[in-house]
Amino acid sequence: QKEVEQDPGPLSVPEGAIVSLNCTYSNSAFQYFMWYRQYSRKGPELLMYTYSSGNKEDGRFTAQVDKSSKYISLFIRDSQPSDSATYLCAMIDRGSTLGRLYFGRGTQLTVWP
Amino acid sequence: GAGVSQSPSNKVTEKGKDVELRCDPISGHTALYWYRQSLGQGLEFLIYFQGNSAPDKSGLPSDRFSAERTGGSVSTLTIQRTQQEDSAVYLCASSPRLAGGDTLAKNIQYFGAGTRLSVL
């Protein structure tokens, strides 16, 4: 079993829909949680990061962490065709001195107009 | 400023050949990472360089893989005797990893666009 599980999709939604992307993890030492967005043939770019349980909002994006359930989510409100990309969750171990990222497989999202 | 630069963007090679992939990190970033992204898979950690410290090679899949970082800047990932299963996108990332910086904001990894390697 991988340390970070993520449904690869694909997920296809109409413009304006609310999108929910999720990851689960097994390592209770994971402390930092990130969401990266990767457009086709591009490198991942950091979208949001958070340390703690609860919600963090940034515009149309909300990151949610539930450490008790080892579950993180990314919500996209009023989704746009420009949001079409692969979304990768990533985590860092609390005890890590090198900041190595543990990634999920990524969820491919298509938002159609 | 310039981001992480990787070259070549695409590389096609024959099985058994050696290849070299180059990464030019963001100026001033002390940490450099290599990851591999295979089709339908997440990013797999390969190797990490931090300043002048010995690299962490724990993610390299076999002894055919090696990497070096010259002068604390440019890095080269070398794959010897390439196999078809080496076909993947190889991504490089750099991070400030500021001294005493143990907060996430100082350790964000910035990725290049990757080198797409195809082994025929």
Side-chain angles (χ1 to χ4, degrees), chain A residues 36 38 41 43 97-99 105, chain B residues 33 37 40 97 109 112 116:
Chain A
Y36 278 82
Q38 186 176 24
R41 295 188 174 267
T97 57
L98 65 84
R105 293 171 62 187
Chain B
Y33 305 78
Q37 186 174 30
R97 293 291 280 181
Q109 293 181 29
R116 186 173 300 269

Side-chain angles (χ1 to χ4, degrees), chain A residues 2 7 16 18 24 27 46 54 57-58 62-63 66 68 72-74 77-78 81 88 91 94 103 113:
Chain A
K2 286 173 66 75
D7 187 338
I18 296 174
T24 59
N27 187 346
L46 183 67
E57 266 191 45
D58 184 1
T62 299
D66 183 347
S68 63
I72 69 170
S73 300
L74 177 70
R77 290 184 301 280
D78 187 25
L88 299 143
M91 307 178 189
R94 173 192 312 128
F103 282 90

Side-chain angles (χ1 to χ4, degrees), chain A residues 8-78:
Chain A
L11 191 59
S12 181
V13 301
E15 183 174 357
I18 296 174
V19 176
S20 172
L21 305 167
N22 312 294
C23 289
T24 59
Y25 61 96
S26 56
N27 187 346
S28 57
F30 286 146
Q31 184 176 25
Y32 304 121
F33 306 92
M34 285 141 282
W35 286 95
Y36 278 82
R37 178 174 60 194
Q38 186 176 24
Y39 291 113
S40 181
R41 295 188 174 267
K42 300 288 187 184
E45 58 177 338
L46 183 67
L47 199 56
M48 294 187 70
Y49 66 86
T50 184
Y51 302 87
S52 55
S53 284
N55 294 350
K56 180 179 180 181
E57 266 191 45
D58 184 1
R60 295 184 296 110
F61 299 88
T62 299
Q64 188 175 81
V65 174
D66 183 347
K67 289 188 177 180
S68 63
S69 301
K70 297 189 179 66
Y71 187 89
I72 69 170
S73 300
L74 177 70
F75 298 96
I76 307 174
R77 290 184 301 280
D78 187 25

